[in-house]
Amino acid sequence: MRLVAALAMVFWALRAFAQSAPDASAPSAGSLREIVAITESLPQLRGLIVARDGEVLVRQGFRGYAPDEKTNIKSLSKTVLSALVGIAIARGVLMSTSQPIASLLADALPAAADPRLKRVTLGHLLSMRAGLESTSDDRYGAWIAAPDQVRFALGRPFVAEPGGDYLYSTGNTHLLSAILTRASGRSTLELMRAWLGEPLGIGIAPWERDAQGIYLGGNNMMLSALGLLAFAEMYRNGGRAGGQQIVPEAWVATSWTPRGPARYFGHDYGYGWFIARMADQEVRYGWGYGGQMLYVVPALGLSVVMVSGAQEGALQSGYIARLHALLVQIIELAATGAAPR
């Protein structure tokens, strides 16, 4: 019933707006029933926040979860870390996305390194096109157990050319965390707190580090659903929040530019963001293991956060597809209930 009440809040809030707009039509009861039916089939869903044009329409926790409670956002960390890279480039800590990574990680390069390592750039890591064998899926355990995760990731054999096909690898984003730490002389946690936490007004809790003390770049950051909403709203507003330009507007645009299809996901990928079209709307989203989701629908002014309990095989089981379906229903409700502003 709490799920029904949460989505009912979306319905009535958007309907109230629609009644104030001369040409807008109210959403149908059928649409609401479809949304309720989807949410009732999602027992793993623990948190849902929906905001339109900065106004929070739904802020709901389920099964003991509170929206201000910090949670492991898993691989959604990749989306957040991408913002740090954009800020680092703007501040001159890093040069550009075309900067080769070999000189930045010279002390961690393997002996007799493959010459192609010199061609791998920051942009290749951000877009999952480094060409190095993945450290995710069935290789994740070996990577996590490695005595030096940076060296391990750099030592993977090339299975594609740098800048070639998309190959999802958590190690790629961890290399970015190591690069940020070396280039700035500050930990990724410190950068997160100074560059994102303070200006956005959100708390950044410590998370897991590797054996060398580098905070994991590709997963396991600890943020609340409300913190994720603030992050999404910043991107929706072109990198601005609270009157400040936190992430360069150009970085938002380049992060949302497709760099190629994301294998297994069915959507394109930019710099830490998946790029899709759902319900005839352009959607930008971040995805974390088990169903930690952050969506931005720019044309409708929508930011949506979904937090889920840990679930094995969420992608393969169709759970992520059902979260996408829930987003589609919210989009359709917004599109029919109020004309985009």
Side-chain angles (χ1 to χ4, degrees):
M1 291 304 295
R2 294 177 67 186
L3 281 166
V4 176
L7 270 299
M9 289 172 62
V10 180
F11 175 77
W12 290 114
L14 289 176
R15 184 177 183 182
F17 177 80
Q19 290 173 340
S20 68
D23 299 322
S25 59
S28 68
S31 296
L32 180 60
R33 284 196 297 270
E34 290 173 16
I35 292 176
V36 170
I38 292 174
T39 59
E40 288 176 341
S41 70
L42 301 173
Q44 302 91 350
L45 190 65
R46 298 184 61 217
L48 174 65
I49 303 180
V50 180
R52 186 165 196 200
D53 294 332
E55 179 185 358
V56 175
L57 304 176
V58 172
R59 173 183 163 173
Q60 190 68 41
F62 316 113
R63 301 167 189 89
Y65 176 78
D68 60 355
E69 174 187 336
K70 291 181 178 61
T71 189
N72 188 333
I73 65 170
K74 304 294 185 179
S75 286
L76 188 49
S77 305
K78 297 175 174 68
T79 308
V80 177
L81 192 116
S82 170
L84 291 185
V85 175
I87 296 171
I89 291 172
R91 291 174 178 244
V93 175
L94 298 172
M95 293 171 57
S96 71
T97 56
S98 61
Q99 185 174 2
I101 69 168
S103 60
L104 296 167
L105 296 171
D107 62 327
L109 295 178
D114 190 308
R116 285 175 287 188
L117 266 179
K118 293 182 179 180
R119 292 163 43 200
V120 177
T121 67
L122 294 175
H124 293 153
L125 296 180
L126 286 162
S127 59
M128 296 293 173
R129 297 183 302 137
L132 294 164
E133 181 183 74
S134 176
T135 60
S136 295
D137 300 323
D138 58 349
R139 297 179 183 89
Y140 180 77
W143 174 64
I144 283 293
D148 189 325
Q149 290 173 25
V150 172
R151 285 183 183 274
F152 186 94
L154 288 170
R156 295 306 85 211
F158 277 87
V159 295
E161 291 299 309
D165 292 341
Y166 172 96
L167 184 63
Y168 185 87
S169 178
T170 297
N172 284 353
T173 320
H174 187 57
L175 291 179
L176 290 171
S177 181
I179 287 168
L180 285 166
T181 300
R182 283 166 166 75
S184 69
R186 304 165 72 184
S187 73
T188 308
L189 173 62
E190 290 178 286
L191 297 179
M192 279 277 290
R193 286 174 168 170
W195 292 356
L196 291 176
E198 291 179 17
L200 289 177
I202 60 176
I204 309 291
W207 67 97
E208 186 178 350
R209 293 184 286 175
D210 69 12
Q212 284 65 49
I214 304 296
Y215 283 91
L216 298 188
N219 58 342
N220 295 354
M221 287 182 183
M222 300 294 294
L223 289 171
S224 68
L226 287 173
L228 290 172
L229 176 67
F231 182 83
E233 281 288 286
M234 174 186 66
Y235 265 75
R236 186 184 68 79
N237 286 301
R240 294 185 63 82
Q244 299 182 61
Q245 191 72 48
I246 299 170
V247 175
E249 186 173 7
W251 185 256
V252 174
T254 198
S255 297
W256 286 356
T257 298
R259 309 287 163 179
R263 190 183 305 173
Y264 308 126
F265 292 90
H267 296 138
D268 286 328
Y269 197 71
Y271 285 164
W273 289 84
F274 292 93
I275 298 159
R277 189 166 182 84
M278 303 182 192
D280 293 325
Q281 295 291 332
E282 294 298 322
V283 177
R284 308 293 183 257
Y285 73 93
W287 176 87
Y289 176 85
Q292 322 314 320
M293 311 300 294
L294 180 154
Y295 299 97
V296 178
V297 188
L300 293 180
L302 284 175
S303 294
V304 179
V305 176
M306 301 178 192
V307 173
S308 303
Q311 183 190 6
E312 197 75 32
L315 181 64
Q316 295 82 353
S317 71
Y319 178 66
I320 303 303
R322 290 194 289 275
L323 294 182
H324 289 340
L326 174 57
L327 177 74
V328 165
Q329 296 300 318
I330 292 171
I331 289 173
E332 291 176 345
L333 187 60
T336 59
R341 286 177 283 178

